Amino acid sequence: MNANKTLTSEHYLDQNIYEKEKSDILYRSWCYVGHTSQIENTGDYLTTEIADESLIIIRAEGGELKGFYNVCRHRAHRLLKNNGNVRSITCPYHAWNYSIDGKLNHAKNANKMKGFKISDYCLSSFQVIDICNFIFVNLDDSAQHLGEQAQGFEEDLKEKVPFLDRLYAQPADKERPSVIRANWKIVVDNYLECYHCTKAHPAFVNLIDMEHYQTDVYNCWSRQYASTTNPDNKAYKFDKNSPVQDMCFWYIWPNTALGYVPGVEALFFSSIRSNSIDKTTRVGHWLVTEDTVLPDGFTEYMNKVLFTEDISICESVQMGIKSKSYKNGPFMIDPDHSGISETAVQSFHNLIRSAKSINSRAD
Ligand code: FES
Ligand SMILES: [Fe+2]
C-alpha cells in the first residue's frame, strides 16, 4: 500500500475485491436516496437500489421515515416498484400483506399452520435518517449516524446555501445521461478533482475562476469551492445580480455528490451507484426553490456538454486501466489545496483502503 499512489488497477477490475467493496463499503455506509418532499404523506414511498439490494423508503404512520428491504419474507418476491402511495404493502406473488410499518398483517392459510407466528415475518429494515431534509440510508444497523461521521458538513451546507430550507424535489431529469461504463470509483475519482478541468472542460473553466478554486478535505467529506465566477462565459450566461455568484461541490463518503453552480438557485444531488464492477449510474436530481430560474442554455450545457465530457473520460480510464502496462499512478498534490490538486482523490483512496474501520462503531 502506498498512500502517494492511486489504488492499483485490480481495485477496478477484480471481482473478488468488488464483492468485498459491496459488503465492507456500499452496504455499510450512508447513501443518499432522495428528499423528504418526495415522500411527504403517510404511505408515500420510493424505491431505490444499492448494488444488488432493492430498497423501500416509506413514510409510516406518525410521519416517521422507515426503510425496508424490497423483499417478501415468504419467497422473496419484490414488493413495490418505482414510487407512489400505499395504504399497506401487498406482495404480488401470494398476496401476503404488510402494514406500512413493516408488520405482516395477513398470510393466507397461516391460521391453519400450527406454530406459525405472524410476528416472526416483519419486513427486514435498515437505518433511515434525514439531514436538512436530505434522506440517507445505511444497511448497517451499527453504523454511526452520518452527522457524527461527517462532522462539520451540515454546518458548512447551512452556511453556504441560504436557500436550503426552501428546496423541494423536481422529478428526475430524464434527459440527463447517467449510465457510465466504468467502475464506480472512477466516477468518484473524476468528481473529486478539477486538475482535469482546463483540458477536459474548456467552457467550465471559463465559467469558474480557477485562480480562486479551493479544495478542502475533511474526514469523510470534502468540498470544492470557487469564490469568483464569470457571468459572461462560454458555458451558459447568467444574471450578474443572481444571489448565487459562487460555486460549491461537496462530496460525502462514499458515493454522494451535491452542490450548486453560479447563477442558479438550486442544489444538485447525485448518488453514484454501482450496478456492477464496470457499470455505474448517477442517480440524482436538482432540488429547486419557488424562485429558481434556469439560465438559457443551462440544462443543455450541464447534460449535453459537461456530463458528457466526464462520462467519456471515465469510460476511457476504465479501458486504459485494463492494460497490463498500467498498475497505478501518482497523486498530483498542491499543498495550497488549489483546484488543480488531487488531494480529495487521495483522501477517497485512503478511505477505501481503510473502509472497514470507519464505517462501524463495532470496528
Ligand atoms: S413471495 Fe410474497 S407472498 Fe409469496
Ligand atoms: Fe469533470
Side-chain angles (χ1 to χ4, degrees):
M1 179 173 121
N2 183 344
N4 296 318
K5 292 232 174 170
T6 61
L7 293 168
T8 49
S9 46
E10 66 259 34
H11 282 85
Y12 302 87
L13 302 171
D14 184 316
Q15 193 63 37
N16 292 326
I17 293 179
Y18 179 62
E19 293 302 321
K20 266 184 79 60
E21 277 181 2
K22 283 198 274 184
S23 58
D24 292 356
I25 299 174
L26 302 176
Y27 297 156
R28 302 182 83 203
S29 52
W30 292 98
C31 180
Y32 177 75
V33 294
H35 189 262
T36 53
S37 60
Q38 293 171 273
I39 43 175
E40 271 184 327
N41 303 311
T42 303
D44 282 356
Y45 73 89
L46 53 90
T47 59
T48 196
E49 271 98 42
I50 298 180
D52 303 329
E53 297 289 355
S54 177
L55 309 171
I56 300 167
I57 297 94
I58 192 162
R59 179 81 63 184
E61 302 288 352
E64 199 187 341
L65 290 177
K66 297 219 169 187
F68 302 115
Y69 289 83
N70 193 8
V71 179
C72 182
R73 293 293 311 276
H74 176 219
R75 280 181 29 219
H77 199 282
R78 286 264 184 280
L79 294 165
L80 294 174
K81 283 185 186 162
N82 305 321
N83 49 34
N85 181 280
V86 285
R87 295 172 70 147
S88 64
I89 301 169
T90 302
C91 178
Y93 198 177
H94 314 91
W96 278 26
N97 177 267
Y98 301 87
S99 74
I100 57 174
D101 290 312
K103 293 191 186 70
L104 181 60
N105 288 329
H106 177 74
K108 194 163 58 181
N109 265 5
N111 53 344
K112 294 189 184 160
M113 285 178 52
K114 267 207 183 110
F116 185 94
K117 270 175 57 192
I118 214 155
S119 57
D120 285 346
Y121 297 98
C122 297
L123 293 177
S124 302
S125 63
F126 50 84
Q127 292 200 70
V128 183
I129 58 161
D130 85 90
I131 289 187
C132 304
N133 293 321
F134 307 118
I135 308 168
F136 290 83
V137 302
N138 195 319
L139 306 187
D140 177 3
D141 288 339
S142 68
Q144 190 181 33
H145 191 284
L146 180 60
E148 291 168 38
Q149 210 174 80
Q151 274 184 20
F153 166 74
E154 188 177 344
E155 292 74 18
D156 198 53
L157 191 65
K158 285 179 175 162
E159 185 194 313
K160 292 228 164 17
V161 187
F163 50 90
L164 199 61
D165 293 341
R166 295 188 285 121
L167 290 169
Y168 62 90
Q170 286 196 308
D173 183 352
K174 297 269 188 296
E175 291 295 306
R176 182 172 158 173
S178 61
V179 177
I180 307 164
R181 285 167 298 166
N183 181 271
W184 71 280
K185 299 189 298 304
I186 290 176
V187 181
V188 175
D189 291 346
N190 175 255
Y191 174 75
L192 285 174
E193 50 88 3
C194 216
Y195 184 49
H196 70 277
C197 292
T198 309
K199 178 69 178 154
H201 304 305
F204 183 74
V205 295
N206 187 242
L207 163 71
I208 302 299
D209 176 3
M210 290 303 294
E211 295 298 311
H212 294 88
Y213 193 109
Q214 180 87 12
T215 305
D216 288 298
V217 176
Y218 302 95
N219 55 349
C220 287
W221 62 283
S222 62
R223 180 188 55 228
Q224 299 174 67
Y225 180 70
S227 55
T228 57
T229 57
N230 172 21
D232 187 22
N233 65 80
K234 294 182 183 141
Y236 60 89
K237 314 251 184 271
F238 64 91
D239 185 349
K240 62 180 184 340
N241 297 315
S242 162
V244 186
Q245 293 292 326
D246 52 355
M247 183 221 80
C248 198
F249 291 169
W250 287 270
Y251 162 74
I252 306 172
W253 160 265
N255 62 347
T256 302
L258 66 145
Y260 61 83
V261 293
V264 188
E265 191 176 86
L267 200 67
F268 71 83
F269 254 93
S270 272
S271 186
I272 297 166
R273 303 283 180 87
S274 180
N275 304 118
S276 63
I277 190 165
D278 57 1
K279 193 174 139 204
T280 301
T281 308
R282 277 184 78 144
V283 182
H285 52 186
W286 285 90
L287 303 163
V288 297
T289 73
E290 296 293 345
D291 302 320
T292 303
V293 179
L294 301 182
D296 284 350
F298 169 74
T299 307
E300 291 74 13
Y301 173 70
M302 296 306 280
N303 291 352
K304 299 214 168 84
V305 182
L306 188 63
F307 289 129
T308 306
E309 288 167 343
D310 277 328
I311 287 172
S312 147
I313 288 169
C314 293
E315 293 185 345
S316 176
V317 170
Q318 181 72 32
M319 297 302 289
I321 225 156
K322 291 181 191 161
S323 168
K324 66 185 176 62
S325 71
Y326 185 84
K327 186 179 170 216
N328 59 0
F331 290 118
M332 304 304 287
I333 303 297
D334 177 353
D336 293 332
H337 300 267
S338 75
I340 56 163
S341 185
E342 293 177 314
T343 333
V345 189
Q346 184 182 41
S347 166
F348 171 54
H349 287 208
N350 287 341
L351 289 172
I352 293 279
R353 285 168 169 138
S354 58
K356 253 193 151 165
S357 58
I358 72 148
N359 275 319
S360 171
R361 283 194 187 112
D363 286 341

